[in-house]
Amino acid sequence: MQEMWKTFFSSGSFIPHGHCYLWHTPLVWLHVASDSIIALAYFSIPITLVYFISKREDLPFNWIFALFGAFIVACGITHIFELWTLWHPTYWLSGTMKAITALFSFATAILLLDLIPQALALPSPAQLESANQLLEAEVVERQLAEAALQKAKEELEIRVEERTAELKSQTQHLEFANRLLGSEIVERQLAEAALKQAKEELEIRVEERTAELKSQTQQLEQALSDLKQAQSQLIQSEKMSSLGQLVAGVAHEINNPINFIYGNVTYVRQYTDSLLELVYSTSGCYEVQ
């Protein structure tokens, strides 16, 4: 392997390419100048492509530009090796670089063939111009719409400011009314507190008056009871008095017959005895017979 690398980078028994030109100075310098300019051009083109790709990230198939850049750099390196082999016959290294360039070129050609249908499907300049005109018309319409929208926005801002001023005025009125309402509420609360206190005092007075009336009612009930009892006693007394008068009248009426009877009891007894004797005597006579 080491011998192969040495062969790869060594000149071996080859002679420089300049011998083919017999070291003819004008011819050598012609090739040097041509290969140098071509190499510089090859190296500048990829730089331009890379800059272009970095600025236009929206481009489709930007990878093909990178592949073209790699192919062109490889071509530039082959021209550098053409200059190198004029004095140094490292043809193995030069041929390897050409092989790499061939691979890049072949891959680029194959991928480019595959890319052609997709590239053909891209819009043509006329289509792009038509689309551009449509876009310009749309841009004009959008600008008109934006102008109308801006005008409507300004009118809306004016209306909003007017409405804001009106709402601010209404808010001030509402705040004033709110303050009046607050003061009225405070007054009403004070009135309610005073009313509540008066109510409590009235309830206390009512309770006291109720207790007083209850006491008076009890006293009146007691007096009424005493009155009823006195009336009952008076009625009883009247009844007893009437009964006494009645009894006295009855006794007076009975007393006369009783006195009459009492006064004649002796006579009655005598008459009774006489009658009894008469009866006995009479009954004895009948028995003897």
Side-chain angles (χ1 to χ4, degrees), residues 139-181:
V139 167
V140 171
E141 292 179 359
R142 183 169 296 181
Q143 288 176 351
L144 293 175
E146 288 178 355
L149 183 62
Q150 182 68 24
K151 184 177 180 181
K153 182 181 178 183
E154 292 176 355
E155 293 178 354
L156 182 61
E157 288 178 353
I158 293 172
R159 293 178 63 186
V160 167
E161 290 178 356
E162 293 177 353
R163 184 59 178 168
T164 303
E166 183 179 355
L167 290 175
K168 187 176 180 180
S169 177
Q170 292 179 359
T171 303
Q172 291 176 353
H173 290 299
L174 288 175
E175 289 178 353
F176 180 71
N178 193 16
R179 286 195 295 269
L180 292 177
L181 183 61

Side-chain angles (χ1 to χ4, degrees), residues 39 53 88 97 133 136 151 178 216 233 238 243 257 259 265 283:
I53 293 172
H88 303 282
M97 194 61 223
Q133 291 177 355
E136 287 178 354
K151 184 177 180 181
N178 193 16
Q216 292 179 0
Q233 291 178 357
E238 291 292 332
L243 183 60
N259 289 327
V265 168
S283 62

Side-chain angles (χ1 to χ4, degrees), residues 200-213:
E200 291 176 355
E201 293 177 356
L202 182 61
E203 288 178 353
I204 294 172
R205 292 178 63 185
V206 167
E207 289 178 357
E208 293 176 353
R209 185 61 179 170
T210 302
E212 183 179 355
L213 290 174

